[in-house]
Amino acid sequence: MAKLNMVEAINLALREEMERDNRVVVLGEDVGREGGVFRVTDGLQEKFGADRVIDTPLAESGIVGTALGMALYGLLPVAEIQFDGFLYPCLDQITNHIGRMRNRSRGRFICPLVIRVPYGGGIHAPEHHSESPEAILAHTPGIKVVTPSTPYEAKGLLLSSIRGHDPVLFLEPKRIYRAIREEVPEGDYTIPLGKARLVQEGKDVTIIAWGAMVREVLNAAEQLRGDKIEAEVIDLRTISPMDVEAIVTSIRKTGRGVIVHEAPKTCGLGAEIIALINEKALLSLQAPIERVTGFDIPVPLAKSEHYYLPNSKRIIMAIKKVISF
Amino acid sequence: MGLFEDYHPLKGKTFQILKPDGTLQPDSKPPISDQEIFHLYQKMLFIRLADQRALILQRQGRMGTYAPIWGQEACQVGSAAVLQKGDWVFPAFRELGATLMMGIPLKTIFLYWMGNEEGSRASEDVNVLPVSIPVGTHPLHAVGLGWAARLKGDAIVTIAYFGDGATSKGDFHEAMNFAGVFKTPTIFFCQNNQYAISVPRSIQTASKTIAQKAMAYGFDGIQIDGNDLFAVLVATKEAVEKARSGGGPTLIEGVTFRFGPHTTADDPTKYRKDEEIEPWKPLDPMIRLRLYLKEKDLWSEEVEQRFTEEAQKDIDQVVKDAEAVPAPGVEEIFKYVYAEMTSSLKEQLAYLKTTL
């Protein structure tokens, strides 16, 4: 079995799905000739032609608005928005149309499409290239929000996203695009949306993360073994709809929790998760839940980005705080 | 020379066949038979009566905010009349006429404005999207769908209706640009009714015409008299045939006038003087058709009165039927959000039920 990084795994998923189902089309800026700025769609236009791997004009709202129209007609568009910061012009189309089409037409019109977005910081990119907009998206009814944390996960989750009947925002943690290599099988396998992954079991504390932060969390958990702290790690995988059951089950077991996300703290998903835990498992808690997050500031440029991004040191401090409470 | 060359927007001409006095422009002929014209006139009259009824219902508190089409009947009936069953219509929110023509029942339209989502459910064989309220956002959908059809090799066309205000929006320009680049079979039908709520056409754009915007995107545009049913029929037919045979998109600017308010929530006397409305009154799309049909012995005061009485009875029944539709059950607001209801939605629904 080949060891692939996340870019290669997503490329493989698209390639196989386009072969299997001719309704799948890829569109976006630079996805064709260039194969995407991160090379995620590398070689696809050569293989499937310019009618199925479409270089579009530079207009994000146009890309997702036309993808909606394509989906109405029965195609399965996989649109790429080049960087997280350029997703914002699409929010009108996403919130006002894509997320509502099924509901407002009472199921007569549906637009199952996938919008892939490389997201998050940590690659020393220019401004507007390091955003984590998952909470905005999770606050939007009618769409699903998915983010993989490894190459294997990326392929299985993307295939489920393309095959599902709802629109999906597929957030790809660009920081780990090439940082992890693992075995990714060729051929069909899917990972269901809405189900979290128990990455490692532990009895002392539950750590909840997604995307690139899962790797940071595992790094922190490894360092805590020396302190005889056994952390249970949950990778949410799907941010909306969230696997509340998995979170609550783990908190009931450990009684302690830390949530890690790159996005700003205020009204971030961490707040929502804490509220859910309070509703469903308050009496299991041995300590207040801690959040390790970005800050309520624009993501700093390269020289200061390390101040912003959660790292294993901050995660360890939070874990120790909840354990010693 | 073809129509779109003859009336190239930069030539500064507006395409018209039927003059306001009911006579034809020199060297012109009506595009359809007199019987067919009479038939479409009746559709326009029915639409005007239904539109007036909606206003009354709103004033009586029996309907929510409504956007009347009064004055724009020729634009909508003429353009929809040349579409075929498999074609797709993307309305804005002032398209009672076009959507009715395409097979959305009046009862369904009324249900929507009465506040029931069932009024956005087209039947399976009717390709009419729900009303699109965010101005100028839906032409992109018409372009995407037409593009998909082209990729599949299907000879359908898509038409997006919007007003002069929408042409200021970024999404409108992105839609025009994509349509030009990918030669999608799309008709951009702008009903330039002179006002976007209170803001006049002169403040929307410094372009001399809206039609000329098509030039920048590399395809045909034409300005037509939107109150002339014949001009609308001919121009739209030309655009539809071109699109169907792979010739790409067209922007049609139908010059018309919104006689009513933007919606029932606004008071046009605040921004529009009577002197401004007066010159438009004789240009009403119904008047010239009556004059034309009278000349052909197809229209008279009695014919009008008889038809009106029958139409009012039909509309009475529609109102009755729409008002008899029971309010949606609580499940309805949850069950169409996703293909399958998520567990958190199930939980929220269960909670809501305990409070009712």
Side-chain angles (χ1 to χ4, degrees), chain B residues 5-234:
Chain B
E5 287 84 44
D6 288 347
Y7 287 89
H8 188 284
L10 298 183
K11 288 183 178 169
K13 292 194 290 182
T14 304
F15 178 51
Q16 184 190 64
I17 296 174
L18 184 63
K19 294 191 282 185
D21 65 3
T23 65
L24 299 173
Q25 284 283 356
D27 303 322
S28 298
K29 56 181 193 331
I32 50 176
S33 73
D34 290 338
Q35 275 303 331
E36 289 168 318
I37 294 165
F38 181 58
H39 173 72
L40 290 184
Y41 171 77
Q42 286 179 318
K43 293 265 185 204
M44 287 166 63
L45 182 55
F46 182 84
I47 286 160
R48 180 163 289 192
L49 294 168
D51 189 59
Q52 286 170 353
R53 183 66 65 90
L55 277 172
I56 294 166
L57 292 170
Q58 192 278 336
R59 300 294 184 220
Q60 293 172 336
R62 295 157 76 186
M63 189 178 272
T65 301
Y66 173 74
I69 83 159
W70 181 20
Q72 300 176 210
E73 295 86 353
C75 277
Q76 297 192 19
V77 169
S79 56
V82 299
L83 298 173
Q84 293 175 5
K85 196 77 187 161
D87 296 337
W88 285 71
V89 174
F90 296 77
F93 47 78
R94 201 186 301 286
E95 271 71 44
L96 179 142
T99 54
L100 196 70
M101 286 288 289
M102 292 306 290
I104 301 284
L106 184 60
K107 177 183 154 191
T108 304
I109 296 170
F110 279 1
L111 267 184
Y112 176 76
W113 295 106
M114 285 173 175
N116 188 334
E117 281 91 345
E118 280 297 323
S120 289
R121 188 207 290 267
S123 61
E124 284 298 325
D125 60 338
V126 174
N127 299 329
V128 176
L129 270 289
V131 157
S132 179
I133 289 179
V135 170
T137 54
H138 61 292
L140 278 170
H141 312 158
V143 172
L145 192 138
W147 188 3
R150 199 183 65 81
L151 291 172
K152 284 187 168 186
D154 297 344
I156 59 120
V157 307
T158 62
I159 185 166
Y161 291 97
F162 51 91
D164 38 315
T167 67
S168 301
K169 294 279 288 226
D171 275 1
F172 164 74
H173 292 275
E174 294 190 17
M176 294 277 285
N177 191 42
F178 274 61
V181 170
F182 297 104
K183 284 192 102 170
T184 68
T186 308
I187 290 89
F188 293 88
F189 200 109
C190 177
Q191 298 173 80
N192 171 7
N193 67 12
Q194 313 303 327
Y195 276 91
I197 304 190
S198 67
V199 176
R201 154 68 184 81
S202 59
I203 294 178
Q204 285 309 330
T205 173
S207 296
K208 190 153 181 285
T209 66
I210 286 168
Q212 75 194 55
K213 292 177 189 291
M215 304 299 99
Y217 298 104
F219 56 87
D220 294 320
I222 185 169
Q223 187 182 67
I224 65 172
D225 180 347
N227 288 355
D228 170 7
L229 177 72
F230 299 175
V232 178
L233 283 165
V234 169

Side-chain angles (χ1 to χ4, degrees), chain B residues 129-337:
Chain B
L129 270 289
V131 157
S132 179
I133 289 179
V135 170
T137 54
H138 61 292
L140 278 170
H141 312 158
V143 172
L145 192 138
W147 188 3
R150 199 183 65 81
L151 291 172
K152 284 187 168 186
D154 297 344
I156 59 120
V157 307
T158 62
I159 185 166
Y161 291 97
F162 51 91
D164 38 315
T167 67
S168 301
K169 294 279 288 226
D171 275 1
F172 164 74
H173 292 275
E174 294 190 17
M176 294 277 285
N177 191 42
F178 274 61
V181 170
F182 297 104
K183 284 192 102 170
T184 68
T186 308
I187 290 89
F188 293 88
F189 200 109
C190 177
Q191 298 173 80
N192 171 7
N193 67 12
Q194 313 303 327
Y195 276 91
I197 304 190
S198 67
V199 176
R201 154 68 184 81
S202 59
I203 294 178
Q204 285 309 330
T205 173
S207 296
K208 190 153 181 285
T209 66
I210 286 168
Q212 75 194 55
K213 292 177 189 291
M215 304 299 99
Y217 298 104
F219 56 87
D220 294 320
I222 185 169
Q223 187 182 67
I224 65 172
D225 180 347
N227 288 355
D228 170 7
L229 177 72
F230 299 175
V232 178
L233 283 165
V234 169
T236 316
K237 188 159 187 269
E238 186 93 1
V240 164
E241 281 171 4
K242 186 186 76 173
R244 214 183 288 291
S245 59
T250 306
L251 169 63
I252 298 172
E253 175 190 2
V255 178
T256 182
F257 191 77
R258 189 190 81 210
F259 284 117
H262 160 66
T263 69
T264 47
D266 114 276
D267 172 11
T269 61
K270 287 247 187 217
Y271 54 82
R272 216 167 56 175
K273 292 193 171 65
D274 284 347
E275 302 94 89
E276 202 183 329
I277 305 171
E278 283 309 313
W280 284 96
K281 284 187 177 164
L283 306 181
D284 185 315
M286 313 297 283
I287 295 174
R288 67 186 80 182
L289 281 172
R290 278 184 209 131
L291 293 168
Y292 176 87
L293 289 166
K294 193 176 177 189
E295 186 67 27
K296 307 285 177 188
D297 280 333
L298 284 167
W299 185 89
S300 65
E301 290 290 354
E302 300 88 79
V303 168
E304 180 94 350
Q305 202 183 334
R306 208 166 48 238
F307 180 86
T308 302
E309 280 166 17
E310 279 168 26
Q312 294 290 23
K313 271 188 220 152
D314 290 346
I315 296 168
D316 287 345
Q317 189 60 46
V318 169
V319 173
K320 217 171 174 182
D321 292 347
E323 290 187 327
V325 171
V330 67
E331 287 87 0
E332 298 293 301
I333 63 173
F334 287 87
K335 78 184 221 195
Y336 297 105
V337 180

Side-chain angles (χ1 to χ4, degrees), chain A residues 23 25 27 51-52 54-75 89 92-93 96-97 99 101-109 140-144 165-167 240-242 244 276 279-280, chain B residues 88 90 112 117-118 120-134 137-138 140-145 147-152 154 156 169 171 174 177-178 181-182 328 332-340 342-344 347:
Chain A
R23 295 173 301 167
V25 296
L27 71 159
D51 277 351
R52 290 189 66 199
I54 307 162
D55 278 322
T56 66
L58 203 166
E60 289 81 6
S61 187
I63 293 167
V64 302
T66 52
L68 187 169
M70 289 178 156
L72 285 174
Y73 200 68
L75 293 186
D92 189 1
Q93 289 291 337
N96 279 327
H97 291 298
M101 189 55 81
R102 176 188 292 276
N103 180 66
R104 58 201 305 270
S105 68
R106 304 282 92 166
R108 165 68 171 90
F109 298 113
T140 304
I143 59 169
K144 293 185 173 177
H165 301 292
D166 295 303
S240 176
M242 202 183 285
V244 182
L276 287 165
E279 282 170 18
K280 292 172 193 295
Chain B
W88 285 71
F90 296 77
Y112 176 76
E117 281 91 345
E118 280 297 323
S120 289
R121 188 207 290 267
S123 61
E124 284 298 325
D125 60 338
V126 174
N127 299 329
V128 176
L129 270 289
V131 157
S132 179
I133 289 179
T137 54
H138 61 292
L140 278 170
H141 312 158
V143 172
L145 192 138
W147 188 3
R150 199 183 65 81
L151 291 172
K152 284 187 168 186
D154 297 344
I156 59 120
K169 294 279 288 226
D171 275 1
E174 294 190 17
N177 191 42
F178 274 61
V181 170
F182 297 104
E332 298 293 301
I333 63 173
F334 287 87
K335 78 184 221 195
Y336 297 105
V337 180
Y338 293 96
E340 279 175 49
T342 62
S343 49
S344 70
E347 209 173 282

Side-chain angles (χ1 to χ4, degrees), chain A residues 3-64:
Chain A
K3 286 200 165 194
L4 304 182
N5 65 31
M6 191 180 284
V7 167
E8 293 160 345
I10 296 169
N11 183 280
L12 180 65
L14 289 170
R15 189 180 294 265
E16 288 180 357
E17 198 61 1
M18 291 185 81
E19 263 171 21
R20 199 185 70 85
D21 188 341
N22 62 14
R23 295 173 301 167
V24 179
V25 296
V26 166
L27 71 159
E29 294 157 14
D30 307 299
V31 297
R33 293 170 178 214
E34 161 120 331
V37 292
F38 289 103
R39 307 289 178 271
V40 171
T41 54
D42 198 28
L44 296 183
Q45 193 183 63
E46 275 170 18
K47 185 161 173 57
F48 299 102
D51 277 351
R52 290 189 66 199
V53 182
I54 307 162
D55 278 322
T56 66
L58 203 166
E60 289 81 6
S61 187
I63 293 167
V64 302

